[in-house]
Amino acid sequence: ASGDVRMAAAAQVVSATVGGLVRLDASGSTDPDGDSITYQWTIQSRPAGSAATLSASAGTVVEFRPDGG
């Protein structure tokens, strides 16, 4: 159906260490209709006092370092 997207990393579990680099890569994502895909990354929640930020809000790859808050 139009508007559907298959994200390659959606089912993967990501574990991280505080201060370690986390890299999320959606470059394997496809649209069944062949439409171009745009990305919008956000951090939905974080511990109180956390200053973690994303390396970018758009693009196929984003990185961040989790902190303990």
Side-chain angles (χ1 to χ4, degrees):
S2 184
D4 290 350
V5 172
R6 293 191 175 94
M7 185 169 168
Q12 294 179 5
V13 174
V14 177
S15 59
T17 303
V18 171
L21 183 66
V22 175
R23 184 173 201 251
L24 304 174
D25 186 342
S27 62
S29 300
T30 59
D31 179 277
D33 300 322
D35 298 330
S36 63
I37 300 173
T38 57
Y39 302 88
Q40 182 66 43
W41 300 90
T42 60
I43 295 176
Q44 294 294 312
S45 64
R46 65 186 85 193
S50 172
T53 59
L54 300 172
S55 60
S57 62
T60 57
V61 177
V62 64
E63 296 176 333
F64 68 98
R65 292 187 186 275
D67 58 22

